[in-house]
Amino acid sequence: LYPVLEKAGDKTLLISETAMGTLVDICEACGYDSMQCLINENSDYLVNGISLNLRQLAHQPHASRVLDTMLRHSDASLLLLVEDVIQDVLSALDQSYDSQVSTFLRVLYSLMAALVRWFGTPCSEEGPRGQDAEGQVLSSQEMERFFLDYVRQKRIAEGNVSDSDDEEAGRYHLVPPAEPQAPTAEAEGEVPLPSHAQLAKDVLERCIHLLSHGSLRVRLKVLDVLELCVTVLHPHGNHLLPMAHRLWPALVSRLTSDDPLAVLRAFKVLCTLAQKCGDFLRQRFSKDVLPKLASSLLSQAPASARAGPVYSHTLAFKLQLAVLQGLGSLCENLDMGE
């Protein structure tokens, strides 16, 4: 099963499709109801093989493909079985920052895509601060907590924090410390992060460091992973907002001084971040990003006004279009009515 799963993750379509057909045949021959059952019921053997091979990645470069395939073809029950091996992946990424980063990013992308698929909730189905809208009646105390939390986060975003705010926050265990940093257990109250959200946070921390990687291809993949991390962490505002604070300088660099392809991808991440974090980013966006986006659009306007049909196939056009299409909802999400 291990080598067949490895081939199912191959970049050559003919090989991966043939391997997928082989997996279906194995399911039928061995009496498994589905490929998901086949993977889950043999996960202990598979995870053991992945762990051993990750430790000698130079000789076993395709170990990550097996995990990649498992994540793509299973359900949330797999997470508990592969948590340890994912921690191995994160540790291996820390130790081989340059040589194997593309390999690991592919696995992290599959992991985060799986978490979004298994645990993600569309924004329209979520209530304030990402709480699931299950029709439950909120008590007056819960309403008070929500508004205190909202006002507090707004003040942090504007850099306006006083001692009395700290005392108020401490009473309810709702929000991160005055300077948004990685929150402590005390700041979070009694509720620990669910394991899938903790994984997203761990991955996001690696992404912050990798955003300045020398390879454009790596930076693009990191931005893709980053967007998924933000989506998974969305219901956990007390963790997401401090992470957004830490991420911001690296993201601004990609938005303002990078290859147009990276700017395009970074703008997509910014739109997702604004959708999830709301007006927490308003002041930062107004100061660090909006002036540069506006001047970029103004400088492109004369060229695009007299451009022929070929212009619509250029990267400059795609970037201009993305900004024009995204800027309205971006400003709306950041509550920039004024």
Side-chain angles (χ1 to χ4, degrees):
L1 183 56
Y2 186 99
V4 176
L5 282 170
E6 186 184 295
K7 295 302 177 192
D10 198 280
K11 289 177 185 173
T12 307
L13 187 62
L14 183 60
I15 294 175
S16 61
E17 288 296 311
T18 308
M20 290 302 295
T22 305
L23 287 170
V24 172
D25 292 342
I26 292 173
C27 287
E28 288 177 10
C30 299
Y32 289 101
D33 294 335
S34 65
M35 202 184 302
Q36 189 177 298
C37 292
L38 173 70
I39 290 170
N40 285 11
E41 291 184 32
N42 292 282
S43 61
D44 48 350
Y45 301 105
L46 294 167
V47 165
N48 187 49
I50 295 166
S51 291
L52 289 171
N53 290 332
L54 276 175
R55 287 173 199 144
Q56 37 184 318
L57 205 62
H59 308 293
Q60 297 285 346
H62 306 311
S64 59
R65 284 187 194 167
V66 182
L67 182 56
D68 182 54
T69 309
M70 288 171 72
L71 288 165
R72 280 189 285 116
H73 297 284
S74 193
D75 63 354
S77 63
L78 181 71
L79 186 60
L80 192 63
L81 306 169
V82 299
E83 262 185 307
D84 288 345
V85 82
I86 288 165
Q87 289 302 330
D88 288 346
V89 169
L90 293 174
S91 301
L93 174 61
D94 293 339
Q95 288 159 20
S96 55
Y97 175 76
D98 285 322
S99 55
Q100 302 291 343
V101 66
S102 296
T103 304
F104 291 125
L105 278 172
R106 185 183 176 193
V107 178
L108 295 183
Y109 181 83
S110 294
L111 169 65
M112 298 319 302
L115 295 185
V116 169
R117 201 165 61 244
W118 299 336
F119 302 101
T121 313
C123 272
S124 58
E125 293 176 19
E126 292 176 350
R129 284 265 169 249
Q131 291 169 333
D132 293 337
E134 293 173 351
Q136 74 271 36
V137 179
L138 293 176
S139 68
S140 58
Q141 190 181 23
E142 286 170 323
M143 287 292 285
E144 183 186 6
R145 285 178 181 173
F146 166 69
F147 283 110
L148 280 169
D149 185 25
Y150 176 81
V151 170
R152 168 75 173 163
Q153 299 296 359
K154 194 170 177 183
R155 285 178 182 168
I156 291 173
E158 293 166 356
N160 177 17
V161 184
S162 67
D163 293 340
S164 60
D165 290 337
D166 289 341
E167 288 166 18
E168 195 70 20
R171 233 171 71 210
Y172 290 102
H173 303 290
L174 280 166
V175 290
E179 283 299 315
Q181 298 162 347
T184 59
E186 291 77 19
E188 278 305 300
E190 302 300 316
V191 187
L193 266 180
S195 59
H196 68 274
Q198 184 61 52
L199 272 177
K201 190 177 172 185
D202 291 343
V203 172
L204 202 152
E205 283 178 342
R206 268 76 176 185
C207 288
I208 294 172
H209 301 301
L210 288 169
L211 263 181
S212 55
H213 196 278
S215 161
L216 172 63
R217 197 171 170 183
V218 168
R219 294 198 301 277
L220 291 174
K221 199 65 182 174
V222 170
L223 286 164
D224 286 341
V225 175
L226 194 62
E227 188 178 9
L228 295 171
C229 291
V230 169
T231 304
V232 174
L233 269 178
H234 173 223
H236 309 280
N238 284 352
H239 289 270
L240 177 58
L241 297 186
M243 292 303 288
H245 173 78
R246 285 178 53 195
L247 165 68
W248 186 252
L251 184 61
V252 168
S253 297
R254 303 288 65 79
L255 279 163
T256 55
S257 56
D258 205 333
D259 185 276
L261 211 53
V263 175
L264 187 60
R265 204 74 60 91
F267 185 74
K268 192 164 171 261
V269 173
L270 174 65
C271 292
T272 301
L273 203 57
Q275 194 181 6
K276 309 300 182 190
C277 296
D279 57 8
F280 178 77
L281 296 176
R282 184 201 298 141
Q283 196 173 28
R284 291 172 170 84
F285 174 73
S286 304
K287 180 185 164 193
D288 300 332
V289 179
L290 187 56
K292 287 178 180 169
L293 285 181
S295 66
S296 170
L297 288 172
L298 285 169
S299 66
Q300 278 183 287
S304 62
R306 58 174 183 271
V310 179
Y311 181 66
S312 63
H313 298 286
T314 64
L315 197 53
F317 168 83
K318 289 172 184 170
L319 183 54
Q320 190 180 10
L321 182 64
V323 172
L324 287 169
Q325 285 179 330
L327 210 49
S329 57
L330 188 59
C331 291
E332 210 170 29
N333 285 327
L334 297 176
D335 196 19
M336 293 178 68
E338 70 275 13

